[in-house]
Amino acid sequence: MKYIILFVKKTLRYLLKPLSFIPAILMMYFIFYMSSQPGDDSAGLSLEVSKLLAFGYNKFADKGMSEYDLVAFIIMIHPYVRKAAHITEFFLLAICVGLPFYVYRVRGFALMFITGIICVAYAALDEYHQTFVSGRVGDYHDVLIDCIGVFFGVIVVRVVGFVGRKTIFAPLSLDKYEIGE
């Protein structure tokens, strides 16, 4: 029985490991899709998010802003919403890229370096891609902002991987625990 469990466990790992890259590919596609939107569409989408945040803040914080104050607040937060979107996209990309490498036992500095290089290179390519889209420009400042998300994404992967390896996944090792027949 022990050898059957070991065989099933190793077979599942062998089959599922390559699939761990699918979220990274999907996240890259999502970023590419968002960058492919013309400038007006992209600005309109982030403006809608800014409006939702402003109306929510006004309602839940019970600010009682006038329509003029609300519009001024929306205009004020709009650039920050756009930059937060960059950080969030690349934070998620770093997690989606870093976790498969962690699954393949890449740890420490190598994990940070490989994940960082892939994500920053993708950020630079994404900005270059935007130069071909109507109403969009490629800006190296956006790459630097994307790096913030990448940095925190890599940190999350390292922390989650370390904690998971020491707690949740520790009992899965056949080296530490004997499986009865």
Side-chain angles (χ1 to χ4, degrees):
M1 184 68 170
K2 174 175 140 181
Y3 297 107
I4 293 171
I5 292 172
L6 181 61
F7 174 75
V8 169
K9 183 177 174 182
K10 288 195 179 273
T11 303
L12 282 175
R13 282 185 183 170
Y14 179 76
L15 293 174
L16 294 178
K17 268 182 153 181
L19 297 178
S20 64
F21 285 99
I22 290 176
I25 293 167
L26 291 174
M27 193 63 208
M28 287 177 169
Y29 174 77
F30 176 75
I31 291 170
F32 183 83
Y33 170 76
M34 295 303 284
S35 295
S36 296
Q37 294 181 338
D40 293 339
D41 294 348
S42 175
L45 180 62
S46 60
L47 188 60
E48 288 302 315
V49 172
S50 299
K51 286 178 185 177
L52 284 171
L53 290 172
F55 290 139
Y57 173 73
N58 188 36
K59 181 178 180 179
F60 293 114
D62 200 24
K63 291 293 184 183
M65 292 184 198
S66 68
E67 188 173 323
Y68 176 80
D69 291 336
L70 205 51
V71 168
F73 186 67
I74 292 168
I75 291 169
M76 182 186 77
I77 67 169
H78 186 245
Y80 299 106
V81 168
R82 291 184 67 83
K83 300 311 174 194
H86 273 269
I87 292 170
T88 304
E89 285 176 338
F90 282 88
F91 170 78
L92 294 173
L93 178 63
I95 290 172
C96 291
V97 168
L99 284 176
F101 285 119
Y102 202 88
V103 167
Y104 279 97
R105 299 190 185 278
V106 177
R107 306 277 196 270
F109 179 76
L111 175 72
M112 294 173 62
F113 184 75
I114 293 169
T115 302
I117 289 295
I118 290 171
C119 293
V120 171
Y122 194 77
L125 286 172
D126 180 57
E127 290 302 317
Y128 179 68
H129 163 249
Q130 287 183 30
T131 62
F132 298 104
V133 178
S134 171
R136 303 289 293 263
V137 294
D139 187 7
Y140 74 91
H141 289 105
D142 285 345
V143 175
L144 296 175
I145 289 168
D146 297 340
C147 289
I148 295 169
V150 170
F151 174 78
F152 286 109
V154 169
I155 297 300
V156 166
V157 169
R158 295 241 9 231
V159 169
V160 168
F162 178 78
V163 170
R165 196 173 77 237
K166 296 297 182 189
T167 57
I168 298 169
F169 298 112
L172 295 179
S173 173
L174 287 177
D175 298 334
K176 293 182 181 179
Y177 298 96
E178 187 68 31
I179 297 176
E181 303 219 16

